[in-house]
Amino acid sequence: DSQYPMGYCESNRQVAHAETDDRHSIRLAASFQGSVRGLRPPEMLHNIPKVTMTISATTNTLETIPQAIDASTLRGWEEHQDDLMIIDVRSGAEFDSLHIRGSYHVPLGMLSEHTEEFAAKMGTRVVLVCQSGNRAEQARKRLDSVGLASASVLSGGVRAYAAAGGDVVRGRGAWALERQVRMTAGSLVLASIVAGKFVSPKLRLVAGGIGAGLTFSAATNSCAMGNVLSRMPWNKSPNEPTAHQVLQSLGARE
């Protein structure tokens, strides 16, 4: 022992101990790999640590955003979700008469023409709002078609949110677009029947055309008459924004 410096033997013992630990770790790893090779996929799942499976399940839950939410859920998101963005797709007159405070006005026609541009500006938690939910669902499908799958529709629309005690801004009264569609369709059917009796029987075909159009709208969840009416002057707001202005305001939110 006198041939070696002090502490040399102790160092050798530490190195030997470390090598022994390494060899033991290697044997354990080889043993684990061998046992895994012998397992079928279902058995492998049972051998995954429980904490990992819990974390994965929790992550999936957090990342899953429903396609439709109710007013109470939206109110909860407003209080706890900083990434929330509310998009109102109704006409300008409807928006002026009643809208959710802090929402962005993006009429359905405008969103349909610039879907990809708007999708790029929207956040990770988007709620689409209209009068009842039909137009918002159309907007959701358009956004989903360009890759934005994090949008939800507010069931019952703005009226349901206001009824639940949500913070809304009220303005001058205006007919909802759905009500205008019913009035227009009913008036055209009545006029065609009267004209068919007193002017020409062929004019009754107009009533049949209106009925076919309404049937198609219900089957496809779309409304061509509503799209036309939304562009009428009485459905425009004096402060109707352009697509460029709305895109700028959404960009400022990012």
Side-chain angles (χ1 to χ4, degrees):
D1 292 344
S2 60
Q3 298 178 6
Y4 303 100
M6 183 178 297
Y8 177 80
C9 293
E10 181 64 26
S11 300
N12 276 353
R13 281 194 295 271
Q14 292 176 355
V15 170
H17 183 68
E19 290 177 349
T20 301
D21 287 345
D22 289 343
R23 287 194 295 270
H24 182 63
S25 299
I26 292 172
R27 285 197 298 270
L28 285 176
S31 175
F32 177 75
Q33 290 175 356
S35 62
V36 169
R37 291 193 191 100
L39 293 177
R40 295 187 298 275
E43 295 172 336
M44 293 179 67
L45 290 177
H46 288 297
N47 283 273
I48 297 175
K50 292 182 179 180
V51 64
T52 303
M53 296 183 71
T54 302
I55 292 173
S56 300
T58 303
T59 302
N60 288 338
T61 301
L62 291 174
E63 292 179 352
T64 301
I65 297 179
Q67 292 184 357
I69 62 171
D70 57 19
S72 60
T73 300
L74 176 55
R75 295 189 65 191
W77 285 4
E78 287 179 309
E79 295 178 2
H80 302 103
Q81 303 295 337
D82 295 333
D83 58 345
L84 177 63
M85 183 178 288
I86 303 174
I87 306 296
D88 194 319
V89 299
R90 297 174 301 159
S91 68
E94 290 174 297
F95 184 82
D96 286 347
S97 66
L98 179 69
H99 65 268
I100 298 173
R101 190 179 300 278
S103 60
Y104 294 88
H105 182 213
V106 186
L108 181 60
M110 181 188 296
L111 187 143
S112 300
E113 294 175 5
H114 306 276
T115 305
E116 292 186 1
E117 296 172 72
F118 280 115
K121 294 290 185 179
M122 293 180 182
T124 56
R125 191 180 299 271
V126 179
V127 176
L128 301 166
V129 178
C130 67
Q131 196 70 16
S132 62
N134 292 332
R135 281 173 284 174
E137 175 62 19
Q138 294 178 46
R140 188 196 66 78
K141 290 180 178 179
R142 289 187 177 276
L143 291 171
D144 185 65
S145 68
V146 298
L148 181 64
S150 60
S152 303
V153 172
L154 176 61
S155 300
V158 180
R159 291 177 297 181
Y161 179 84
D167 188 9
V168 296
V169 179
R170 298 181 185 274
R172 62 182 181 85
W175 276 28
L177 196 61
E178 285 85 352
R179 186 180 180 187
Q180 295 181 43
V181 169
R182 292 194 297 268
M183 174 60 78
T184 303
S187 299
L188 288 174
V189 170
L190 178 61
S192 65
I193 292 175
V194 173
K197 182 176 182 179
F198 295 102
V199 180
S200 172
K202 293 182 179 180
L203 291 175
R204 294 176 181 173
L205 294 175
V206 175
I210 297 297
L214 292 175
T215 302
F216 177 80
S217 295
T220 60
N221 196 27
S222 62
C223 186
M225 185 179 292
N227 291 334
V228 172
L229 288 172
S230 67
R231 301 174 188 275
M232 295 294 104
W234 59 84
N235 282 320
K236 298 291 184 181
S237 169
N239 302 316
E240 191 92 14
T242 64
H244 179 70
Q245 290 173 331
V246 177
L247 287 168
Q248 278 189 325
S249 65
L250 293 179
R253 164 72 183 272
E254 294 178 337

